[in-house]
Short mmCIF file of all heavy atoms in Angstrom, two decimals:
data_model
loop_
_atom_site.label_atom_id
_atom_site.label_comp_id
_atom_site.label_asym_id
_atom_site.label_seq_id
_atom_site.Cartn_x
_atom_site.Cartn_y
_atom_site.Cartn_z
N VAL V 678 -5.96 -55.77 -8.45
CA VAL V 678 -5.89 -56.59 -9.60
C VAL V 678 -7.15 -56.14 -10.22
O VAL V 678 -8.33 -56.16 -9.65
CB VAL V 678 -5.91 -58.06 -9.30
CG1 VAL V 678 -6.13 -58.83 -10.54
CG2 VAL V 678 -4.59 -58.43 -8.49
N ILE V 679 -7.13 -55.77 -11.52
CA ILE V 679 -8.29 -55.31 -12.35
C ILE V 679 -8.90 -56.37 -13.24
O ILE V 679 -8.26 -56.81 -14.13
CB ILE V 679 -7.94 -54.04 -13.23
CG1 ILE V 679 -7.20 -53.07 -12.45
CG2 ILE V 679 -9.21 -53.50 -13.78
CD1 ILE V 679 -7.91 -52.51 -11.28
N LYS V 680 -10.04 -56.95 -12.85
CA LYS V 680 -10.66 -57.95 -13.62
C LYS V 680 -11.46 -57.26 -14.71
O LYS V 680 -12.53 -56.66 -14.41
CB LYS V 680 -11.52 -58.88 -12.75
CG LYS V 680 -10.63 -59.66 -11.85
CD LYS V 680 -11.30 -60.82 -11.24
CE LYS V 680 -10.27 -61.60 -10.37
NZ LYS V 680 -10.91 -62.59 -9.50
N LEU V 681 -11.03 -57.46 -16.02
CA LEU V 681 -11.75 -56.78 -17.08
C LEU V 681 -13.08 -57.46 -17.34
O LEU V 681 -13.29 -58.62 -16.97
CB LEU V 681 -10.84 -56.77 -18.40
CG LEU V 681 -9.41 -55.99 -18.18
CD1 LEU V 681 -8.80 -55.74 -19.50
CD2 LEU V 681 -9.64 -54.65 -17.53
N LYS V 682 -13.85 -56.68 -18.16
CA LYS V 682 -15.26 -57.36 -18.41
C LYS V 682 -15.52 -57.26 -19.93
O LYS V 682 -15.13 -56.38 -20.65
CB LYS V 682 -16.27 -56.41 -17.69
CG LYS V 682 -16.09 -56.61 -16.18
CD LYS V 682 -17.09 -55.87 -15.35
CE LYS V 682 -16.74 -55.97 -13.94
NZ LYS V 682 -17.73 -55.22 -13.11
N GLY V 683 -16.26 -58.23 -20.29
CA GLY V 683 -16.97 -58.24 -21.67
C GLY V 683 -16.05 -58.67 -22.83
O GLY V 683 -16.40 -58.74 -23.93
N LEU V 684 -14.77 -58.89 -22.43
CA LEU V 684 -13.77 -59.35 -23.49
C LEU V 684 -14.13 -60.68 -24.19
O LEU V 684 -14.93 -61.54 -23.54
CB LEU V 684 -12.38 -59.44 -22.93
CG LEU V 684 -11.86 -58.23 -22.21
CD1 LEU V 684 -10.38 -58.50 -21.86
CD2 LEU V 684 -11.84 -56.83 -23.01
N LYS V 685 -13.77 -60.97 -25.35
CA LYS V 685 -13.87 -62.24 -25.92
C LYS V 685 -12.90 -63.21 -25.35
O LYS V 685 -11.67 -62.88 -25.42
CB LYS V 685 -13.63 -62.16 -27.46
CG LYS V 685 -14.68 -61.37 -28.25
CD LYS V 685 -14.28 -61.30 -29.64
CE LYS V 685 -15.11 -60.29 -30.42
NZ LYS V 685 -16.23 -60.75 -30.99
N LYS V 686 -13.36 -64.22 -24.83
CA LYS V 686 -12.32 -65.03 -23.98
C LYS V 686 -11.32 -65.62 -24.81
O LYS V 686 -10.18 -65.76 -24.31
CB LYS V 686 -13.06 -66.05 -23.03
CG LYS V 686 -13.89 -67.15 -23.57
CD LYS V 686 -14.42 -67.91 -22.49
CE LYS V 686 -15.32 -69.09 -22.80
NZ LYS V 686 -14.75 -70.06 -23.67
N ASP V 687 -11.52 -66.02 -26.03
CA ASP V 687 -10.44 -66.64 -26.81
C ASP V 687 -9.51 -65.74 -27.51
O ASP V 687 -8.60 -66.06 -28.20
CB ASP V 687 -11.17 -67.62 -27.75
CG ASP V 687 -11.84 -68.75 -26.92
OD1 ASP V 687 -11.34 -69.04 -25.90
OD2 ASP V 687 -12.92 -69.26 -27.41
N SER V 688 -9.89 -64.38 -27.55
CA SER V 688 -9.08 -63.45 -28.30
C SER V 688 -7.88 -63.06 -27.48
O SER V 688 -7.86 -62.96 -26.28
CB SER V 688 -9.97 -62.17 -28.71
OG SER V 688 -10.96 -62.58 -29.46
N LEU V 689 -6.82 -62.67 -28.22
CA LEU V 689 -5.56 -62.20 -27.56
C LEU V 689 -5.65 -60.67 -27.41
O LEU V 689 -5.87 -59.97 -28.52
CB LEU V 689 -4.44 -62.65 -28.39
CG LEU V 689 -2.98 -62.59 -27.72
CD1 LEU V 689 -2.99 -63.51 -26.58
CD2 LEU V 689 -1.95 -62.91 -28.71
N TYR V 690 -5.45 -60.09 -26.28
CA TYR V 690 -5.60 -58.72 -26.06
C TYR V 690 -4.18 -58.09 -25.64
O TYR V 690 -3.49 -58.78 -24.89
CB TYR V 690 -6.58 -58.33 -24.95
CG TYR V 690 -7.99 -58.44 -25.42
CD1 TYR V 690 -8.67 -59.76 -25.33
CD2 TYR V 690 -8.73 -57.42 -26.01
CE1 TYR V 690 -10.01 -59.92 -25.74
CE2 TYR V 690 -10.06 -57.52 -26.44
CZ TYR V 690 -10.69 -58.79 -26.26
OH TYR V 690 -11.92 -59.00 -26.67
N SER V 691 -3.99 -56.83 -25.98
CA SER V 691 -2.85 -56.18 -25.50
C SER V 691 -3.29 -54.99 -24.72
O SER V 691 -4.34 -54.26 -25.10
CB SER V 691 -1.88 -55.75 -26.57
OG SER V 691 -2.34 -54.54 -27.09
N ILE V 692 -2.73 -54.70 -23.59
CA ILE V 692 -3.06 -53.52 -22.78
C ILE V 692 -1.82 -52.71 -22.60
O ILE V 692 -0.79 -53.13 -22.25
CB ILE V 692 -3.65 -53.97 -21.36
CG1 ILE V 692 -4.85 -54.79 -21.61
CG2 ILE V 692 -3.94 -52.73 -20.61
CD1 ILE V 692 -5.62 -55.27 -20.41
N SER V 693 -1.90 -51.44 -22.92
CA SER V 693 -0.84 -50.52 -22.92
C SER V 693 -1.20 -49.16 -22.64
O SER V 693 -2.46 -48.82 -22.68
CB SER V 693 0.00 -50.59 -24.23
OG SER V 693 -0.83 -50.19 -25.29
#
Side-chain angles (χ1 to χ4, degrees):
V678 172
I679 310 294
K680 294 194 175 170
L681 301 191
K682 297 185 181 176
L684 305 183
K685 290 172 192 275
K686 66 183 178 52
D687 298 326
S688 297
L689 193 65
Y690 287 88
S691 82
I692 300 183
S693 59

